[in-house]
Amino acid sequence: MAQDLVIGIDVGGQTAKCGVVDARGNIISQTVISSADTESPEAFVAGLAQALDRIIAEAGAEGRIRGIGVGIPNGNYYTGVVENAVNLTWAKAGNIPFARMLQDKMNGIPVSLTNDANAAAMGEMTYGAARGMKNFIMITLGTGVGSGIVINGEVVYGHDGFAGELGHTCAVRHNGRPCNCGKCGCLETYASATGVARTAREWLELTDEPSLLRSLDVIQSKNVYEAAKEGDKLALRVFEFTGRILGEKFADFIEFSAPEAIVLFGGLARAREFLEAPIRKAMDENVIPLWRGKVDLVFSSLKESDAAILGASALGW
Amino acid sequence: MAQDLVIGIDVGGQTAKCGVVDARGNIISQTVISSADTESPEAFVAGLAQALDRIIAEAGAEGRIRGIGVGIPNGNYYTGVVENAVNLTWAKAGNIPFARMLQDKMNGIPVSLTNDANAAAMGEMTYGAARGMKNFIMITLGTGVGSGIVINGEVVYGHDGFAGELGHTCAVRHNGRPCNCGKCGCLETYASATGVARTAREWLELTDEPSLLRSLDVIQSKNVYEAAKEGDKLALRVFEFTGRILGEKFADFIEFSAPEAIVLFGGLARAREFLEAPIRKAMDENVIPLWRGKVDLVFSSLKESDAAILGASALGW
């Protein structure tokens, strides 16, 4: 029987989602395991391999898995090593040769890995909104801002395997917000889900403007979204501000690689109704005339729950 | 006899420099013609073809030219068309199918063209400071700021052939200087030869600080350089400011494509003694820790007078 299936694994700080995927992007079987209950890389890989054996059996896919793709924080595509992944309990410090370890446990099925945003870009190109595109930039708007850059049909890994840290390019040069990376003013301190909540909290503190958000003890991006839905002026302005900052930076990105489109994905991208117009406006105002109105802004069409597995699986082909 | 030579042509607003080049980067014969004395593309191409025939004969290279490479403003690598090149008298408006026109006049020898900064990147990779590098960013500091981006050993042309307009990424977001492109705050309004002169003039106007530059009627970047050489404090600070702005933007560029090095070329790069330290400092302060101190800053080692021809010729192979 043809080896016509792949496995996609999305490893996050809390869970690892795994699925057996066919060439059309159907997930045939899947499971989720915890990625937070061990500090031993060996134990995590052993548990993961067991889970994979289970979903392979479920899919009747024994002997048909062509490759395994993994999206994982700080994953180096070139070496298969996970480097200083502070968000993973079992990989906090040092370098874990994750691809080799998993491949050994899986009887030699080839394992490729990259970071989650690059995996998302592969997913969009293989099954999603970027099918047929050879030049695009994937921006993932989640807790942080991730990016995967595709040029000539290939993900850009750069000299060392870590290219595409657009969330850490500078959005605000002076007096910018401190970022987890140690710098200040990074795009992700403003334009992530965390950034949106932070903007709202700052503005509530700085003014007396009435807002539905004032009644809440804790403000998260979803609260800002819900308030905007109800027409809350402050919440609406938070999205306008966030969209403008994104659009300003997208103009810079376009001037770098002249992509056909910028593709948005992730929790915050669900606020499309509030973000799309200000992003487009700022993008067009800040890009040189050559590209004005010519670069698409695309919102991912992949089903959110499947996208992470699909993205990683695209690496398996 | 083997076809072991190429021709490189660098077309600027005033002149076109042409040379016959061997595989080692030796210029065997060369000439310069005017590019400003006609408004007819046909006339310019006819004159150019005559000049090429002359240097081919001079080099004894009849029948040995493998290809012709052209570096030219607004040159589209994909189509061979020069699009709205406002700085060329014979190509001001509309699209000139320059590569095809020249190829026809040269009995079918293949002609490739790209913009001057991309040609410079090809030159550095083939004969210069970037030999052996597969990932680097070329920045040309001249009247403007040009850029050529190399990823995986290939120049990035993007979706439409015009990628790499890093001189027009935003250096100053608010109240930035107006740029020829129609935007404000572009990197090239600060970090070009023109930008350096502009900074000096602005600062002279805004303060009473004594400076050697006050005695001059017209201030150009070379005057600022000469004053800095003599220890003029204001001139020295102009270079520090210019270097800082460059370094800040280089950090963003590194976060995009994770290059091995940034390579500087062009008239203003000759002020290395004043620019290098502030660029390195700002680059390291503004890049995420992953790349701190790890990306080289390289000054072109190509002989300035030859570099334009060599760069273009690299396209001919």
Side-chain angles (χ1 to χ4, degrees):
Chain A
M1 192 177 285
Q3 295 201 328
D4 54 358
L5 300 170
V6 288
I7 285 177
I9 307 173
D10 176 66
V11 182
Q14 296 303 312
T15 61
K17 297 178 195 126
C18 323
V20 174
V21 178
D22 72 13
R24 294 192 175 160
N26 299 308
I27 299 178
I28 298 173
S29 63
Q30 58 180 308
T31 190
V32 178
I33 66 167
S34 166
S35 66
D37 60 5
T38 175
E39 292 189 6
S40 148
E42 290 73 19
F44 176 71
V45 170
L48 183 61
Q50 277 178 11
L52 297 187
D53 286 340
R54 216 163 53 231
I55 58 172
I56 290 171
E58 235 179 87
E62 291 90 346
R64 293 171 58 200
I65 304 295
R66 200 160 129 180
I68 298 173
V70 187
I72 188 165
N74 298 43
N76 186 323
Y77 174 76
Y78 291 138
T79 60
V81 169
V82 176
E83 305 186 14
N84 303 308
V86 291
N87 294 325
L88 301 174
T89 53
W90 51 271
K92 267 189 198 315
N95 297 336
I96 316 284
F98 187 80
R100 188 174 55 66
M101 289 170 69
L102 184 59
Q103 187 162 332
D104 287 349
K105 284 275 176 205
M106 295 304 294
N107 302 316
I109 300 174
V111 176
S112 292
L113 57 78
T114 189
N115 74 39
D116 28 357
N118 286 339
M122 296 282 298
E124 291 297 334
M125 192 163 45
T126 313
Y127 314 108
R131 236 177 313 184
M133 286 189 199
K134 292 183 99 52
N135 293 277
F136 69 97
I137 298 175
M138 177 89 203
I139 302 283
T140 61
L141 302 173
T143 316
V145 173
S147 62
I149 300 157
V150 173
I151 290 177
N152 278 337
E154 294 185 3
V155 172
V156 173
Y157 295 107
H159 176 53
D160 56 6
F162 289 114
E165 286 289 352
L166 300 183
H168 296 284
T169 58
C170 179
V172 174
R173 182 67 66 195
H174 302 291
N175 299 314
R177 293 175 183 163
C179 183
N180 288 335
C181 77
K183 299 200 294 168
C184 287
C186 292
L187 180 59
E188 82 167 29
T189 64
Y190 293 87
S192 58
T194 326
V196 162
R198 211 160 153 179
T199 304
R201 286 193 299 262
E202 270 184 26
W203 290 5
L204 288 168
E205 253 182 54
L206 288 171
T207 71
D208 289 329
E209 181 176 344
S211 166
L212 298 170
L213 295 167
R214 291 203 184 272
S215 62
L216 303 173
D217 288 336
V218 177
I219 295 173
Q220 294 192 309
S221 61
K222 71 170 192 297
N223 307 119
V224 187
Y225 176 69
E226 281 154 14
K229 277 257 197 208
E230 297 188 41
D232 187 83
K233 289 220 173 91
L234 187 139
L236 286 167
R237 282 212 321 282
V238 168
F239 282 108
E240 210 180 293
F241 171 81
T242 308
R244 181 167 62 72
I245 285 189
L246 279 170
E248 285 171 356
K249 292 305 292 180
F250 290 176
D252 268 17
F253 305 162
I254 292 167
E255 282 153 0
F256 199 101
S257 68
E260 185 173 354
I262 291 184
V263 182
L264 296 179
F265 177 75
L268 185 59
R270 271 177 285 174
R272 175 177 182 169
E273 59 199 295
F274 305 121
L275 284 174
E276 187 169 6
I279 292 177
R280 278 187 197 274
K281 184 163 183 282
M283 202 165 103
D284 278 344
E285 279 173 5
N286 287 278
V287 84
I288 56 177
L290 176 59
W291 290 301
R292 211 158 278 165
K294 290 192 186 145
V295 180
D296 265 359
L297 182 68
V298 179
F299 286 73
S300 170
S301 59
L302 289 181
K303 224 175 87 188
E304 190 116 4
S305 54
D306 296 349
I309 289 174
L310 288 180
S313 80
L315 265 180
W317 292 112
Chain B
M1 193 178 282
Q3 295 202 325
D4 53 358
L5 301 170
V6 288
I7 284 176
I9 306 173
D10 176 65
V11 182
Q14 296 303 313
T15 62
K17 296 177 195 127
C18 322
V20 174
V21 178
D22 71 13
R24 293 192 175 162
N26 299 309
I27 299 179
I28 299 173
S29 63
Q30 58 180 309
T31 190
V32 178
I33 65 167
S34 167
S35 65
D37 60 4
T38 175
E39 292 189 7
S40 148
E42 289 75 19
F44 176 70
V45 171
L48 183 60
Q50 276 179 10
L52 297 187
D53 286 340
R54 214 161 55 231
I55 57 171
I56 291 171
E58 234 180 271
E62 290 90 347
R64 293 171 58 199
I65 304 296
R66 200 159 127 181
I68 297 173
V70 186
I72 188 165
N74 299 41
N76 187 325
Y77 173 77
Y78 291 138
T79 60
V81 169
V82 176
E83 304 185 15
N84 303 307
V86 291
N87 294 325
L88 302 174
T89 54
W90 50 273
K92 268 191 199 311
N95 297 336
I96 316 284
F98 187 80
R100 189 176 53 68
M101 289 169 70
L102 184 59
Q103 188 163 332
D104 287 349
K105 284 274 176 206
M106 295 304 294
N107 303 314
I109 300 174
V111 176
S112 292
L113 59 77
T114 189
N115 74 40
D116 30 355
N118 286 339
M122 296 283 298
E124 291 297 334
M125 190 163 48
T126 312
Y127 314 108
R131 235 178 314 185
M133 286 189 199
K134 292 183 100 49
N135 292 277
F136 68 98
I137 297 176
M138 177 89 203
I139 301 284
T140 61
L141 301 173
T143 315
V145 173
S147 62
I149 301 159
V150 173
I151 290 176
N152 277 338
E154 292 185 5
V155 172
V156 174
Y157 294 106
H159 176 52
D160 56 5
F162 289 114
E165 285 290 351
L166 299 183
H168 296 284
T169 57
C170 179
V172 175
R173 181 67 64 194
H174 303 291
N175 299 313
R177 294 175 183 164
C179 182
N180 288 334
C181 77
K183 299 201 293 166
C184 288
C186 292
L187 179 59
E188 82 167 29
T189 65
Y190 293 88
S192 58
T194 327
V196 162
R198 210 159 155 180
T199 304
R201 286 193 300 262
E202 269 184 27
W203 291 6
L204 288 168
E205 253 182 56
L206 288 172
T207 70
D208 289 329
E209 182 176 342
S211 166
L212 298 171
L213 295 168
R214 292 204 182 272
S215 61
L216 303 173
D217 288 335
V218 177
I219 295 173
Q220 293 191 309
S221 63
K222 71 170 194 293
N223 307 119
V224 187
Y225 176 70
E226 281 154 14
K229 278 258 199 207
E230 296 187 41
D232 187 83
K233 290 221 173 89
L234 187 140
L236 286 166
R237 281 212 321 282
V238 168
F239 282 108
E240 210 180 294
F241 171 81
T242 308
R244 181 168 61 71
I245 284 188
L246 279 170
E248 284 172 356
K249 292 306 292 181
F250 290 176
D252 269 16
F253 305 161
I254 293 167
E255 282 153 0
F256 199 101
S257 68
E260 184 173 355
I262 290 184
V263 181
L264 295 179
F265 177 76
L268 185 60
R270 271 177 284 174
R272 174 176 184 170
E273 58 198 296
F274 304 121
L275 285 173
E276 186 169 6
I279 292 176
R280 278 188 196 274
K281 184 163 181 284
M283 201 165 104
D284 277 344
E285 279 173 3
N286 287 278
V287 82
I288 55 176
L290 175 61
W291 289 302
R292 210 158 278 166
K294 288 191 187 147
V295 180
D296 265 0
L297 182 70
V298 178
F299 287 73
S300 170
S301 58
L302 289 180
K303 222 175 90 189
E304 190 116 3
S305 54
D306 296 350
I309 290 174
L310 287 180
S313 80
L315 265 180
W317 291 111

